Amino acid sequence: MSIDWETQANEKYADASQYAQKVLDLINKSNDAITDEDASWITQETVDCFRDFVNPGFLDYRKTVTKDKQFAAVEWSDEGESFKDVNGKKYIDCLGGFGIYNVGHRNPKVVQAVENQMHRQALHSQDLLDPLRAFLAKLLAQITPGDLQYSFFTNSGTESVECGLKLAKLYSDRSTILAATKAFHGKSLGSLTATAKGVFRKPFMPLVSGFRHVAYGDIEMMEKTMEACHLVGEDVAAVLLEPIQGEGGVIVPPDDYLPKVRALCDKYGALLILDEVQTGMGRTGKMFCCEHYGVAPDIICLAKALGGGIVPAGAVVASEKVFKNFFPNPFIHTTTFGGNPLACAAAIATINVLIDEHLPERAAEMGAYMLQGLRDAAKGHEDKVMEIRGKGLMIGIEFQEDQIGYDFSKKLFDKGVLVAGTLVNAKTIRIEPPLTIKKEDIDKVIATVAEALK
Ligand SMILES: *Cc1c(COP(=O)(O)O)cnc(C)c1O
């Protein structure tokens, strides 16, 4: 029997087109026009498609899905410091997309810049000189510490780290990279090598050679390792660190750690790469976290909040002595979309908003207020809460057990506050709201936390 391939293909495409049109109609509807029927279709269809076409694993881990997977909170819109699910329930965002919403959700200035740029030119020709890339690079040189000057643009954190590692390798004939335990630098093969978590790394061995991990915050171990590397002829090319570890559970190192690391790098001729993908753009109460410690790296990696929560954007900024190895052949490291006009417009507006609205200062002030409030709320619950720590609006609550953290974040979610914490990883819950969060909202969150702990 012959199969009529053409008819089959036509039917397939007709179905696909109809389905795409149905979704486009929903996208193009205003929020008020979404009916209850739309909302329940969106919810059920999302769950079904996650199960059949995305990854059913997510349905087991997300606190937003009920045990029988019949109900799930499906996000639909966002604004300011909160977002709404498709049924119109509002959530205060204390997760901040793990640090992408520093200037708030859909900050009007960022939206306007991106919109205007989109209507002018969205992506670049790849051949002419694109002006926004140039302007953003100058801005980054102005606001980053020390003599950081030249920028390479990326689309994500992991790409920024990859570029930082390549710059370090080009700088000298050395290839040893020191990273830290509990580090997170991304999941592409190079950055994954620096990332410290065994479950993410082990299945993908062998990774990039030349990496070693030392205990984070332990300057003596760092020194001994650098010395040993020198003695055996495998001198350290670069030390790669987060100034505060994010994924590791908001781990703040001793105050003298980064300055001492900087001094060790100088002593042994190694570069210092700081991964400020999460800590940068005002999150910890300074524009860049390393400024708390008076330390300037040779290479800084940025992403997450750089695009203002509107467009994915990343950057690597390096000093001239490091970056100049990219000069002779600028094609030695490239990316098609990195530094595109939409991303640059978003980043330029984001920097403008951060400075004009004093958001780093605000993060310091509101962060201190929130940290104290949370600590007060946790008093008497030492059986559940081990420690609350942080800097600026990067706060971690460490629980005695994973399960307590998961129950806690689920309870908060039911009460309209989103914090990190999934079934797999909830021992330390991160609180990283937009830096624009209002004091009333912080008070509401603290009250909800107090209630949930009871
Ligand atoms: C999130 C993160 C990354 C990875 O960024 P992606 O955009 O997810 O690739 C790298 N480093 C740090 C410190 C991060 O927090």
Side-chain angles (χ1 to χ4, degrees):
M1 206 176 79
S2 79
I3 299 169
D4 186 347
W5 292 107
E6 203 170 317
T7 308
Q8 267 197 3
N10 285 343
E11 277 171 17
K12 187 169 74 179
Y13 289 140
D15 285 351
S17 174
Q18 203 180 25
Y19 186 80
Q21 190 59 53
K22 184 176 169 93
V23 176
L24 284 173
D25 290 344
L26 289 169
I27 292 172
N28 294 327
K29 258 189 187 185
S30 72
N31 286 342
D32 302 337
I34 295 282
T35 62
D36 290 349
E37 198 187 331
D38 290 336
S40 68
W41 184 84
I42 291 168
T43 302
Q44 192 58 51
E45 185 70 3
T46 303
V47 171
D48 291 349
C49 291
F50 259 83
R51 185 192 58 228
D52 296 338
F53 304 110
V54 180
N55 186 338
F58 282 127
L59 299 177
D60 294 329
Y61 289 132
R62 300 242 151 136
K63 60 182 170 288
T64 58
V65 183
T66 55
K67 276 203 171 57
D68 58 10
K69 299 184 181 106
Q70 284 311 297
F71 178 77
V74 173
E75 61 192 36
W76 193 249
S77 64
D78 65 344
E79 188 175 358
E81 292 76 43
S82 61
F83 61 93
K84 281 185 183 165
D85 68 22
V86 69
N87 296 307
K89 181 173 171 186
K90 194 169 159 176
Y91 301 84
I92 299 176
D93 184 11
C94 277
L95 168 56
F98 293 116
I100 62 182
Y101 294 115
N102 291 14
V103 296
H105 290 254
R106 289 190 304 112
N107 182 290
K109 212 170 194 172
V110 183
V111 170
Q112 188 183 40
V114 172
E115 238 170 35
N116 287 334
Q117 185 58 37
M118 184 161 62
H119 291 302
R120 179 182 307 109
Q121 183 192 17
L123 298 177
H124 49 306
S125 73
Q126 313 283 334
D127 192 54
L128 280 72
L129 293 178
D130 41 332
L132 299 194
R133 177 193 309 261
F135 307 153
L136 175 58
K138 178 172 176 171
L139 271 175
L140 286 173
Q142 282 176 335
I143 65 169
T144 49
D147 58 358
L148 298 175
Q149 183 178 348
Y150 285 93
S151 287
F152 178 85
F153 295 107
T154 70
N155 308 284
S156 66
T158 197
E159 285 173 76
S160 295
V161 172
E162 297 290 348
C163 176
L165 292 170
K166 277 180 143 183
L167 279 170
K169 286 197 168 189
L170 271 187
Y171 179 71
S172 66
D173 57 1
R174 305 176 177 188
S175 59
T176 304
I177 308 283
L178 291 191
T181 53
K182 298 208 172 159
F184 185 80
H185 298 291
K187 288 177 185 161
S188 55
L189 290 171
S191 69
L192 179 63
T193 311
T195 288
K197 220 168 176 173
V199 285
F200 296 147
R201 300 173 88 251
K202 219 171 161 195
F204 305 106
M205 302 281 190
L207 293 165
V208 179
S209 59
F211 282 66
R212 295 197 184 192
H213 288 82
V214 295
Y216 186 72
D218 182 343
I219 195 68
E220 271 143 46
M221 185 173 180
M222 171 91 67
E223 172 145 38
K224 284 193 178 126
T225 309
M226 276 201 168
E227 190 187 13
C229 287
H230 173 64
L231 291 173
V232 301
E234 293 180 19
D235 281 287
V236 174
V239 173
L240 168 61
L241 292 173
E242 298 156 88
I244 291 176
Q245 290 187 320
E247 294 279 321
V250 189
I251 300 172
V252 184
D255 281 342
D256 60 354
Y257 182 60
L258 277 188
K260 284 185 171 165
V261 170
R262 176 73 267 185
L264 272 183
C265 286
D266 294 342
K267 181 175 166 194
Y268 285 92
L271 297 176
L272 177 60
I273 309 174
L274 288 181
D275 179 350
E276 293 236 21
V277 166
Q278 193 164 151
T279 52
M281 315 321 292
R283 171 57 53 191
T284 69
K286 299 261 187 205
M287 188 63 87
F288 301 101
C289 185
C290 60
E291 294 172 90
H292 285 293
Y293 305 103
V295 166
D298 302 290
I299 301 171
I300 197 166
C301 303
L302 306 173
K304 292 215 166 94
L306 181 64
I310 304 285
V311 183
V316 186
V317 195
S319 62
E320 184 176 3
K321 76 170 186 187
V322 173
F323 202 93
K324 70 171 195 270
N325 295 304
F326 274 5
F327 293 170
N329 179 2
F331 298 102
I332 191 153
H333 186 68
T334 59
T335 148
T336 301
F337 290 127
N340 69 71
L342 290 182
C344 290
I348 290 165
T350 300
I351 291 169
N352 179 269
V353 170
L354 285 168
I355 295 171
D356 279 14
E357 296 181 15
H358 308 287
L359 293 184
E361 295 89 329
R362 201 185 147 75
E365 200 181 312
M366 290 295 124
Y369 177 75
M370 193 166 192
L371 189 63
Q372 191 55 51
L374 289 171
R375 281 178 176 159
D376 291 344
K379 273 198 188 113
H381 298 287
E382 289 76 15
D383 55 325
K384 298 179 205 110
V385 179
M386 208 149 88
E387 191 187 25
I388 303 182
R389 55 179 177 257
K391 229 183 187 42
L393 281 168
M394 186 166 179
I395 296 174
I397 305 180
E398 185 166 351
F399 293 91
Q400 301 288 2
E401 285 165 45
D402 245 335
Q403 188 61 38
I404 300 174
Y406 180 71
D407 292 343
F408 173 85
S409 62
K410 199 163 173 61
K411 206 158 255 170
L412 251 61
F413 185 79
D414 292 342
K415 292 177 192 297
V417 177
L418 180 70
V419 295
T422 67
L423 255 186
V424 246
N425 184 3
K427 191 152 187 281
T428 302
I429 277 172
R430 280 178 284 165
I431 299 197
E432 298 184 46
L435 310 185
T436 51
I437 188 169
K438 294 182 183 61
K439 208 166 177 192
E440 304 95 82
D441 280 343
I442 293 181
D443 289 335
K444 225 181 277 177
V445 171
I446 292 168
T448 312
V449 164
E451 214 179 306
L453 284 173
K454 275 185 201 134

